[in-house]
Amino acid sequence: MRAFGYKRHGSIEQLQELDLPEPTLSRRSVIVDVDSVGLNPLDYRIRRGELGPLAFASSARLSCSDFSGVVVAVGQGVDQIRIGDAVYGMTFQPLGGTSAEKIRVHASVVAPKPKNLSHSHAAVVPLAALTAYQAFAYLAKLQTGQRVLINGASGGVGTFAVQIARAMGAEVTAVTSYRNTGWMASLGAESVVDYTEQDCCCLDARFDVFFDCYGNRRFTDARNVLSKNGMYITTIPAPRTFSWGVLNGFRKQKSRVVVVRKSKTDLIEITRLIESGAVRPIVQMVYPSHGYRDAYAALESKRVRGKLAVKMSRDIGPEPA
């Protein structure tokens, strides 16, 4: 079975095509014929060995967390998924990635694919959309009418964050560069800050939530534009960012780190938002399976608008979204 991944931590050059045995079925699992996988910065952080215990070495590691495809086998104890179902979801990458023609996944991590999305567009959704949704729903407990600033609004998590916050009734300010300011309103942003012209931590406005998707602003800086009971949320799990929350119990302004978790219930809610038209994935490019290195080179440039996908099912030319 064809796959791509790596056997040693390091740069893009460590990525290689792999020939792996097909997965075998186990209880409460399904086998998915993978059509497409979505790429996330988490992939290269793990590959580089940046995440400590999450980056333990293995003989061969698959590179992605997100997938979309069709169920081809169903294990014992699975009663809500059928062979032929179009599904999508995410895995815990350190224990089993998704960048292969077939994968075995626990039935609890898959949800029906949104009917209005192709597999390539569905594959980019789970990790990024779940990160944004869980940050707003569970950490911020976002309410209608609250004001949200999203730093890094043109990236993978950011594009979903703008739309999900708007769908929850928030007033959204998007922070991005001049290259992307023109299309933020189409996602639901009511105002846009070009960070090359203005520091978002020096605005006159006050925000209930400062969502740092890019991970380049400190809590101490964000406090300048937070409301009295405002919350700063970062997507970067690191000792430094966790340390900012140590004193949360002694101050009104809070600092939190969102650590995405697999949740079929949350993914079904995201599917509802997508099928209703409230949320749509922004996909810059769909690469063929042999273009996986090119895809990661683009991702690691940090200039991607939205998301990138890699098609596993057949070799095609690159597909601009």
Side-chain angles (χ1 to χ4, degrees):
M1 168 184 80
R2 186 179 58 181
F4 69 84
Y6 53 98
K7 296 181 179 180
R8 297 179 60 186
H9 295 305
S11 69
I12 290 175
E13 297 306 313
Q14 296 298 330
L15 286 172
Q16 58 184 283
E17 187 166 314
L18 304 169
D19 184 12
L20 301 178
E22 291 196 1
T24 56
L25 202 57
S26 61
R27 182 173 172 79
R28 299 190 184 281
S29 72
V30 298
I31 303 294
V32 176
D33 190 345
V34 177
D35 180 283
S36 300
V37 292
L39 275 55
N40 294 284
L42 176 67
D43 306 345
Y44 61 75
R45 294 191 69 203
I46 294 176
R47 188 192 71 234
R48 292 172 181 173
E50 295 177 2
L51 298 185
L54 294 184
F56 52 80
S58 62
S59 57
R61 164 165 290 163
L62 301 181
S63 185
C64 301
S65 301
D66 292 336
F67 68 91
S68 183
V70 176
V71 175
V72 294
V74 177
Q76 291 183 344
V78 179
D79 55 10
Q80 295 184 337
I81 302 174
R82 304 265 188 289
I83 291 175
D85 285 354
V87 298
Y88 76 144
M90 63 169 282
T91 66
F92 181 60
Q93 189 180 144
L95 297 181
T98 60
S99 53
E101 292 180 306
K102 288 184 172 63
I103 58 172
R104 180 184 67 203
V105 291
H106 197 276
S108 65
V109 309
V110 302
K113 180 185 73 67
K115 295 181 177 63
N116 56 340
L117 294 184
S118 67
H119 282 293
S120 295
H121 281 62
V124 308
V125 172
L127 188 147
L130 284 169
T131 299
Y133 179 81
Q134 290 169 2
F136 293 141
Y138 303 124
L139 298 186
K141 296 180 172 57
L142 194 61
Q143 301 294 315
T144 298
Q146 288 190 308
R147 305 187 70 187
V148 176
L149 182 144
I150 297 171
N151 183 44
S154 64
V157 175
T159 50
F160 284 112
V162 172
Q163 297 175 84
I164 291 171
R166 190 70 190 95
M168 290 180 171
E171 298 178 14
V172 178
T173 294
V175 180
T176 185
S177 75
Y178 63 91
R179 290 180 294 269
N180 301 304
T181 54
W183 54 280
M184 287 292 107
S186 69
L187 300 184
E190 294 184 316
S191 59
V192 183
V193 175
D194 175 0
Y195 67 75
T196 68
E197 296 288 340
Q198 190 172 21
D199 185 347
C200 67
C201 293
C202 296
L203 300 173
D204 292 332
R206 294 294 177 265
F207 300 92
D208 300 292
V209 180
F210 186 120
F211 190 27
D212 188 5
C213 303
Y214 198 80
N216 66 336
R217 306 314 303 252
R218 298 173 61 88
F219 170 57
T220 51
D221 298 326
R223 294 187 72 178
N224 296 329
V225 293
L226 283 177
S227 62
K228 182 175 64 174
N229 296 304
M231 179 177 291
Y232 166 90
I233 303 174
T234 178
T235 59
I236 305 300
R240 176 175 62 100
T241 55
F242 281 112
S243 72
W244 298 340
V246 170
L247 298 178
N248 277 347
F250 302 96
R251 62 188 175 216
K252 292 183 177 181
Q253 293 177 328
K254 311 295 185 185
S255 174
R256 301 293 299 272
V257 180
V258 58
V259 180
V260 66
R261 64 182 186 278
K262 298 174 291 183
S263 170
K264 184 173 184 176
T265 300
D266 291 348
L267 196 53
I268 288 172
E269 173 59 17
I270 289 166
T271 300
R272 184 191 69 78
L273 292 171
I274 291 171
E275 291 183 342
S276 73
V279 172
R280 59 187 172 93
I282 306 300
V283 182
Q284 177 172 297
M285 185 74 74
V286 179
Y287 289 81
S289 60
H290 63 265
Y292 58 87
R293 283 188 180 177
D294 292 336
Y296 274 108
L299 181 69
E300 293 180 43
S301 75
K302 299 184 179 180
R303 297 297 185 191
V304 174
R305 292 185 177 188
K307 299 281 292 181
L308 302 174
V310 174
K311 191 91 168 170
M312 298 299 301
S313 60
R314 59 186 175 89
D315 277 342
I316 56 173
E319 298 179 354

